Amino acid sequence: MPTSFEHWKTELLILGNIIQDDDTVTPPEEAQRRFQRYCAMLDALTGNEGARYALAIFQSVQAEHDYGAYQTASRAAWRFGETAYCAALLHELPRLIATLPDWAGDFLVGIANGAGTAHAPVIACFNTLLAAAPPKQQALIAAFIAEEEDDGWFEHCPGVLGHP
């Protein structure tokens, strides 16, 4: 791991802004190099580096089309444990809901799909942390969840997220 978290985070944020197919400025070889470096940085994490790394992972999610990179990001964030994962996601959800709602839904449905499985404790962790979030953030996230329960990401599992 790099000796400087800030250096590592800066590079991750740059690389996490995945070059899109319609980019006419970046050569394809450079886009591929950045993509591979981003995934390698995530794969190198063990989960022992500290919760700020989990937060940086979610902060690095910036592009609509990830070509599979953000699944690698999510797996890397899980290595930090359910509390760090949920806290980092909650921190970034307002931004994701506003700018990349499909990614907000994708990450949240990964938690919600744990209902009735061995992964159900993650739901309780998320809901507890959400209940302790600042009221404005809590309301924004709850509204997103409610909207997606109607005809979206959570229509198959209403009432799972957002209820302590």
Side-chain angles (χ1 to χ4, degrees):
M1 290 299 352
T3 55
S4 165
F5 167 75
E6 288 305 322
H7 175 77
W8 178 88
K9 179 181 173 183
T10 297
E11 184 178 5
L12 190 75
L13 293 179
I14 291 167
L15 298 173
N17 192 3
I18 306 296
I19 305 297
Q20 303 295 282
D21 282 343
D22 62 357
D23 181 306
T24 58
V25 177
T26 308
E29 302 79 28
E30 176 63 10
Q32 183 65 19
R33 184 198 67 75
R34 289 182 188 182
F35 176 89
Q36 289 174 340
R37 173 67 181 147
Y38 178 71
C39 291
M41 288 178 72
L42 295 166
D43 285 340
L45 296 171
T46 65
N48 296 321
E49 295 84 359
R52 64 186 180 166
Y53 282 80
L55 177 58
I57 291 168
F58 283 112
Q59 290 170 331
S60 76
V61 174
Q62 304 166 62
E64 182 179 356
H65 303 291
D66 72 318
Y67 313 105
Y70 296 156
Q71 286 78 9
T72 300
S74 183
R75 283 191 305 275
W78 277 116
R79 287 187 208 120
F80 293 88
E82 66 187 37
T83 301
Y85 183 96
C86 291
L89 178 59
L90 276 166
H91 185 277
E92 286 302 299
L93 272 174
R95 176 185 66 83
L96 291 171
I97 290 167
T99 61
L100 297 165
D102 280 342
W103 283 114
D106 189 82
F107 292 129
L108 286 171
V109 81
I111 295 171
N113 284 342
T117 74
H119 302 289
V122 177
I123 296 167
C125 177
F126 176 84
N127 287 340
T128 299
L129 291 172
L130 177 59
K136 185 177 177 183
Q137 179 184 9
Q138 197 178 101
L140 178 97
I141 294 167
F144 177 76
I145 291 169
E147 179 182 319
E148 294 297 321
E149 285 178 342
D150 262 352
D151 186 26
W153 286 98
F154 314 115
E155 66 182 324
H156 69 288
C157 57
V160 171
L161 295 181
H163 305 281

